[in-house]
């Protein structure tokens, strides 16, 4: 399939023109926040920041970071920059503790958001002929409505099935001839497995799925290969990244080259920082992504600390776009597990597991404190329960998995092989880690 570009003027801009646009938008945003958001006004005053003092993009470093706690402390509407009557939509993302993070959109914000998503879904291969089933939960989560509006913008036929009810999802897929799915990678895989289970009644060739617009959680290349193989029929999926505080989906996504996630740089100014020291890192470094949403007006965020670990490549892509590309998210600086001094990301374990035969791709990491040491148990589901009765084979499999994970993480772990379907399934983001250390 040829690489198609929704908005060539913006997506293929020269870096010089792009940076000039970013600078003028940054100055306008600083001025806007200064005049309209007390929180930013007070911060700017304290640090002597004014729009006139921003002379080049790197002057952004004089602006303090905004964090999730800042949004929570101003719950629900303390960071609004317009009277409530100008707000046309509110979303929220729940955290593990404290108040949810509330985000709000003006009419103009929704238009920008749809444009951002339209570019990415078009780059992935969706068109006005696509029939798209959105299996993200509609509600306070930004995923469903974000993709919904962007896909409608390009003229696709949108089927808002929302999350859950797997039987019905599969029925609509077959009956409506759905060719594109929007879901988390884990749910997309779960649907494929469920479709295969019903294989005799409804053979796989009854499904017309060709494209998966996946996102909202990590997906290793190995996991992606598994999803594509399970759906078969040349199913192709892309990784899409975003977060509620930055509108939702629409910040970045893969094109058909799948060589990094294209950032909508005219809207999002990105930096990579050292998450411990807060220092901005040189181009090409891996670290925490910090994003300024240059065009957001309802509830603007400046230098937002995403906690997501990635790196950015500024070279032109084979697809023709000049926009920078971020690598797949390597992990979060805060879901990163530190086990006996070693950083562990769930995605590393996933990469080790996929490719091992006889196990399903469902796994769980259980962290415990035993005495003074932290221990990691990796629970992995078998495909065939009868293996549990064949001790020799079971032990061999356990050792294979153990050695693979140990080689990657460099620490001792315990591997438990558990019965098929005993690890909880999620229709939203999968919860891979059970941390029992504080219990
Ligand atoms: O997950 C927005 C979204 C919806 C993106 C649908 C893509 C598709 P939140 O619920 O606020 O927003 O969660 C944001 O999810 O900081 C990442 O840690 C993680 N995340 C999102 N997309 C990816 C991805 C939406 N493609 C948080 N890969 C972010 C890895 C992702 N992690």
């Amino acid at each position: 399939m040829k690489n198609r570009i929704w908005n060539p003027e913006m997506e293929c801009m020269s870096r010089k023109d792009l940076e000039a646009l970013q600078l003028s938008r940054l100055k306008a945003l600083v001025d806007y926040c200064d005049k309209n958001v007390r929180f930013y006004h007070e911060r700017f005053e304290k640090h002597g920041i004014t729009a006139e003092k921003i002379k080049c993009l790197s002057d952004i470093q004089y602006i303090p970071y905004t964090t999730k706690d800042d949004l929570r402390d101003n719950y629900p509407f303390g960071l609004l920059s317009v009277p409530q009557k100008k707000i046309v939509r509110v979303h929220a993302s729940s955290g593990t503790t404290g108040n949810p993070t509330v985000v709000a959109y003006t009419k103009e914000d929704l238009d920008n958001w749809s444009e951002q998503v339209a570019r990415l879904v078009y780059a992935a291969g969706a068109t006005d002929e696509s029939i798209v089933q959105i299996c993200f939960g509609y509600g306070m989560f930004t995923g469903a409505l974000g993709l919904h509006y962007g896909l409608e913008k390009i003229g696709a036929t949108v089927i808002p099935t929302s999350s859950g009810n797997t039987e019905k999802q599969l029925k609509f897929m077959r009956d409506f001839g759905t060719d594109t799915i929007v879901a988390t990678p884990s749910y997309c895989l779960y649907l494929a497995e469920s479709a295969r289970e019903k294989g005799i009644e409804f053979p796989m060739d009854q499904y017309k799925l060709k494209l998966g617009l996946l996102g909202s959680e990590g997906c290793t290349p190995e996991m992606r290969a598994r999803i594509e193989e399970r759906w078969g029929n040349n199913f192709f999926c892309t990784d899409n990244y975003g977060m509620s505080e930055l509108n939702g989906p629409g910040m970045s996504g893969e094109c058909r080259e799948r060589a990094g996630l294209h950032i909508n740089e005219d809207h999002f100014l990105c930096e990579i920082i050292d998450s411990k020291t807060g220092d901005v890192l040189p181009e090409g470094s891996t670290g925490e992504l910090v994003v300024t949403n240059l065009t957001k007006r309802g509830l603007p965020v400046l230098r937002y600390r995403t906690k997501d670990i990635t790196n950015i490549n500024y070279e032109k892509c084979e697809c023709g776009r000049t926009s920078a590309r971020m690598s797949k998210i390597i992990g979060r600086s805060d879901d990163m597990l530190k086990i006996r001094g070693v950083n562990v990301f769930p995605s590393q374990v996933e990469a080790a597991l996929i490719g091992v035969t006889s196990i399903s791709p469902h796994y769980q990491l259980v962290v415990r404190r035993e005495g003074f040491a932290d221990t990691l148990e990796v629970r992995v589901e078998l495909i065939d329960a009868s293996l549990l009765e064949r001790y020799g084979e079971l032990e061999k499999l356990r050792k294979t998995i153990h050695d693979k994970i140990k080689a990657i993480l460099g620490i001792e772990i315990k591997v438990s092989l558990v019965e098929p379907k005993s690890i909880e399934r999620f229709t939203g983001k999968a919860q891979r880690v059970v941390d029992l250390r504080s219990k």
Side-chain angles (χ1 to χ4, degrees), residues 51-328:
E52 295 73 55
K53 285 195 186 158
I54 308 271
K55 301 276 187 233
C56 58
L57 284 176
S58 62
D59 285 345
I60 196 172
Q61 65 184 297
Y62 301 114
I63 301 173
Y65 296 120
T66 306
T67 63
K68 211 176 195 50
D69 283 343
D70 293 325
L71 269 78
R72 289 210 178 107
D73 294 347
N74 289 282
Y75 175 85
F77 297 129
L79 293 181
L80 282 196
S81 62
V82 289
Q84 179 264 315
K85 72 175 207 170
K86 295 248 181 232
I87 297 296
V88 295
R89 176 95 65 79
V90 171
H91 280 284
S93 86
S94 53
T96 40
T97 52
N99 281 327
T101 310
V102 174
V103 290
Y105 308 73
T106 63
K107 177 80 185 56
E108 184 195 347
D109 292 336
L110 288 190
D111 290 345
N112 281 327
W113 187 15
S114 306
E115 164 69 19
Q116 292 151 14
V117 175
R119 291 181 196 171
L120 302 181
V121 296
Y122 201 70
T127 67
D128 56 357
E129 291 185 5
S130 302
I131 302 175
V132 191
Q133 209 159 311
I134 299 192
C135 310
F136 281 144
Y138 279 72
M140 298 309 270
F141 175 54
T142 53
L145 285 167
L147 264 306
H148 186 118
Y149 278 72
L151 283 157
E152 281 187 352
K153 188 172 173 94
I154 67 160
T157 306
V158 177
I159 307 166
T161 44
S162 197
S163 58
N165 206 341
T166 301
E167 293 274 313
K168 205 168 237 167
Q169 299 278 7
L170 294 174
K171 177 175 169 51
F172 285 147
M173 260 178 206
R174 294 189 300 270
D175 295 351
F176 297 170
T178 302
D179 56 35
T180 303
I181 177 176
V182 170
T184 55
S186 50
Y187 191 56
C188 188
L189 180 59
Y190 179 60
L191 275 172
E193 283 181 343
S194 306
R196 280 182 172 265
E197 264 174 28
K198 299 176 126 314
I200 295 176
E201 212 181 335
F202 304 113
M204 288 305 278
D205 63 12
Q206 293 198 1
Y207 298 93
K208 304 282 172 268
L209 270 196
K210 286 191 183 59
L211 175 65
L213 301 167
L214 309 184
S216 189
E217 67 180 22
C219 181
T220 53
E222 294 83 357
M223 170 88 162
R224 181 177 80 196
R226 172 68 77 105
I227 298 170
E228 291 181 345
E229 176 268 314
R230 293 276 88 190
W231 277 111
N233 193 24
N234 293 324
F235 183 65
F236 180 96
C237 44
T238 61
D239 189 1
N240 295 277
Y241 170 82
M243 64 196 314
S244 322
E245 297 86 330
L246 308 168
N247 285 347
M251 202 207 112
S252 66
E254 286 176 322
C255 66
R256 303 291 295 186
E257 301 293 328
R258 297 197 296 203
L261 286 76
H262 284 278
I263 300 169
N264 277 312
E265 283 187 281
D266 50 326
H267 293 275
F268 300 100
L269 180 57
C270 295
E271 301 165 84
I272 296 289
I273 68 164
D274 179 317
S275 57
K276 286 214 181 63
T277 62
D279 294 340
V280 176
L281 295 175
E283 203 174 300
S285 310
T286 296
E288 180 182 339
L289 177 69
V290 168
V291 186
T292 298
N293 190 340
L294 294 168
T295 48
K296 185 76 184 277
R297 287 299 179 263
L299 198 153
V301 284
L302 276 158
R303 299 194 92 200
Y304 191 71
R305 287 192 65 158
T306 66
K307 304 265 183 184
D308 293 316
I309 310 292
T310 183
N311 55 65
I312 300 178
N313 171 3
Y314 289 87
E315 278 165 33
K316 186 176 169 184
C317 178
E318 289 292 313
C319 72
R321 289 174 185 78
T322 50
S323 47
R325 287 161 286 157
M326 53 186 255
S327 74
K328 279 175 169 294

